Amino acid sequence: MANRARSARTDAAVALGAVAPALVHQSAADPSGAASLALGGYAVVAVAALTVRRRAPVAICCLVFAAFAATEAATSVAGVSLSALTLLPVAVALSSAGVAPLTGWAVQRARTSR
């Protein structure tokens, strides 16, 4: 049971760590209220999804990417810009789903070097 609690705390820390840089950097990218509201909504979805990413990594990856795409589309229509760091939750979700290209390369290299 303690292992499960530790895992949940780790997942929450990773989720917050993926979203926090974008929230901090947003004021430099576009300090408008519309941009902050859009990023806040995206951050809530991303944190909620990334905290349970181990249960269904591919579904969570699709959910985070869809939320990212919807947020980017809505902000581009509204004429506001988001921080480039909003892509970090997508990267974490891809990595959790095992899609990270460098991960595959590293595993393949480790297998062939034995």
Side-chain angles (χ1 to χ4, degrees), residues 38 41-42 45-46 49 58-74 86-87 89-91 93-94:
Y42 168 64
V45 171
V58 175
I60 295 304
C61 181
C62 293
L63 175 69
V64 171
F65 187 74
F68 172 74
T71 303
E72 285 292 327
T86 56
L87 200 55
V90 175
L94 284 170

Side-chain angles (χ1 to χ4, degrees), residues 104-114:
W105 173 81
V107 169
Q108 183 64 27
R109 174 134 179 150
R111 287 181 186 159
T112 58
S113 66
R114 289 183 193 173

Side-chain angles (χ1 to χ4, degrees), residues 1-76:
M1 198 58 127
N3 210 9
R4 186 176 293 183
R6 184 178 306 130
S7 177
R9 285 192 305 266
T10 301
D11 287 345
V14 167
L16 290 174
V19 173
L23 294 172
V24 170
H25 188 259
Q26 183 57 42
S27 63
D30 187 356
S32 69
S36 298
L37 182 63
L39 183 61
Y42 168 64
V44 167
V45 171
V47 166
L50 290 176
T51 54
V52 295
R53 72 185 191 282
R54 293 184 195 200
R55 293 188 186 126
V58 175
I60 295 304
C61 181
C62 293
L63 175 69
V64 171
F65 187 74
F68 172 74
T71 303
E72 285 292 327
T75 55
S76 67

Side-chain angles (χ1 to χ4, degrees), residues 87-107:
L87 200 55
L88 279 175
V90 175
V92 171
L94 284 170
S95 177
S96 296
V99 182
L102 289 178
T103 304
W105 173 81
V107 169

